[in-house]
Amino acid sequence: MASEQILEDEQHAPPPGETPLDSIARILRLTLTLAAVMLSIWLIGDVIMVVFASALFAVILHGLARGLKRWTNLPYGAALAIVCVLMVTLIVGIGWSSGSDIVAQAAKLRDALTTQVYALRDRLAAWPQGQVLLNYLPASLGGHGGGASGSGGLMSLGSRIAGSMTGFLGSAFGVLGTLAVVVIAGLYFAASPTLYANGILRLVPRHWRGRGQEVMLVAADTLWAWVAGQALDMAVVGILSGMGLWIIGVPLAVSLGFLAALCNFIPYIGAILGAVPALLLALSLGLRETAMVAALYAVVQFFEGNVMAPLIQRKAVQMPPGLTVLSQTFFGGIFGAPGLILASPLTAMLLAVGDKLAPPLEDNERV
């Protein structure tokens, strides 16, 4: 016992030659550094999200170009140019051939959802327990909380959604300007990845540059693996949801399937967001169809979570579910809607970097 106590005292003892005042100064420097970092994140959080989104888009372009280069033996620049041309051609082709149909489907979906939201509120208002629920719901969710009317609450909800989207950058650029910045910066990053990587490494102290290079490579590979796995996951969820809704007879099944695929970019929370519009439209068909739609989304998410996700994570990124949900709450609270959307790839990257930097646990250190 005495030897264990001596060993514990030595572990908590200050380094040789360090006085108590030096220890206090070191703690103060660490505290001020952390405070400065947190203040910077709070002040320029939107810019940080734009930079990360640009880096994520660059990783996608770089991964596709690298794969094409490996397959065709083309130079990297030519492969990247082909990838960009194919992406632009695909977008322009979809817009030219189906642009009007997509806009019409989106307008129909918006009108149908608006109608169903009002119909659901009227049903709740005609039900005693529903009136109690409406009285406790805030006005932003269509309730009576805060003394707002029903339509005012729905309008408030729409205003909040619109405000969060247009405030993505927090400047005069808006959503389209932000997307343009992300695309242009991502193209430059992907065109000369070594230029920007070496520029960042020059800011790192010389004796840490080797480790910094390893960390950057691990972060890039992790982001590419996450994007590839999530794209496959989104495609499967969208196809299964759209086909199931079409079989059930829910209107706008293709649009709802596409929406489910997009929402699945956000793990767990996105599954709920993607199911709500389908359930609202199914209410217009009857309780039987609504129950079938709920069962459909439950089966699809069960298949995605227990079959698809393990297969994808075996080749891509393994993220604990609890940490994924907490990271969405954390980054969503700090960065808003962009933080919620990009929480999963950001967390996957941070986990990979932390795993690279932190030494592994010994057997006697494990819980």
Side-chain angles (χ1 to χ4, degrees), residues 183-339:
V183 171
I184 294 173
L187 284 172
Y188 280 119
F189 291 163
S192 303
T194 56
L195 174 66
Y196 299 98
N198 292 333
I200 295 176
L201 286 176
R202 290 189 63 182
L203 302 176
V204 179
R206 188 179 298 273
H207 58 281
W208 286 349
R209 287 177 181 175
R211 177 67 72 173
Q213 183 185 40
E214 295 176 359
V215 167
M216 292 179 66
L217 293 176
V218 167
D221 292 340
T222 301
L223 286 177
W224 169 245
W226 185 90
V227 167
Q230 195 64 22
L232 177 60
D233 192 81
M234 291 168 61
V236 171
V237 169
I239 292 173
L240 292 179
S241 301
M243 291 179 60
L245 292 172
W246 178 74
I247 293 173
I248 294 173
V250 178
L252 305 173
V254 175
S255 300
L256 291 173
F258 181 72
L259 183 62
L262 287 181
C263 290
N264 208 62
F265 184 85
I266 309 174
Y268 304 109
I269 297 177
I272 300 175
L273 297 178
V276 169
L279 290 172
L280 287 175
L281 288 184
L283 284 173
S284 62
L285 302 177
L287 293 179
R288 176 174 172 270
E289 285 75 10
T290 304
M292 293 175 64
V293 169
L296 168 68
Y297 276 86
V299 170
V300 169
Q301 291 305 318
F302 179 83
F303 173 77
E304 185 270 336
N306 294 277
V307 179
M308 285 296 301
L311 291 176
I312 292 172
Q313 289 178 353
R314 190 179 303 170
K315 298 291 184 181
V317 181
Q318 295 187 9
M319 291 177 58
L323 186 59
T324 302
V325 175
L326 289 177
S327 68
Q328 292 170 350
T329 305
F330 178 76
F331 290 114
I334 295 178
F335 301 114

Side-chain angles (χ1 to χ4, degrees), residues 106-199:
K108 289 180 180 178
L109 179 61
R110 181 198 60 196
D111 295 339
L113 290 177
T114 302
T115 302
Q116 285 305 113
V117 167
Y118 279 107
L120 179 61
R121 185 187 176 279
D122 292 338
R123 291 182 184 179
L124 289 175
W127 186 40
Q129 290 82 354
Q131 292 180 0
V132 175
L133 179 62
L134 289 175
N135 289 332
Y136 280 96
L137 276 178
S140 59
L141 296 178
H144 298 156
S149 62
S151 61
L154 292 173
M155 292 179 64
S156 176
L157 176 60
S159 301
R160 286 172 181 266
I161 295 175
S164 63
M165 292 298 294
T166 56
F168 181 70
L169 183 59
S171 66
F173 285 109
V175 176
L176 294 179
T178 302
L179 291 177
V181 170
V182 169
V183 171
I184 294 173
L187 284 172
Y188 280 119
F189 291 163
S192 303
T194 56
L195 174 66
Y196 299 98
N198 292 333

Side-chain angles (χ1 to χ4, degrees), residues 7-72:
L7 181 60
E8 184 177 354
D9 293 340
E10 290 178 352
Q11 291 176 349
H12 291 86
E18 187 178 35
T19 64
L21 288 178
D22 294 334
S23 300
I24 295 174
R26 179 163 54 86
I27 294 174
L28 287 176
R29 284 197 298 269
L30 179 61
T31 303
L32 290 176
T33 301
L34 292 175
V37 170
M38 296 302 295
L39 181 61
S40 300
I41 292 175
W42 180 65
L43 291 176
I44 59 172
D46 292 334
V47 178
I48 293 174
M49 287 292 97
V50 171
V51 173
F52 180 74
S54 302
L56 186 62
F57 182 60
V59 167
I60 296 173
L61 293 177
H62 179 70
L64 293 175
R66 188 173 54 182
L68 182 60
K69 175 186 175 183
R70 219 169 21 236
W71 185 48
T72 60

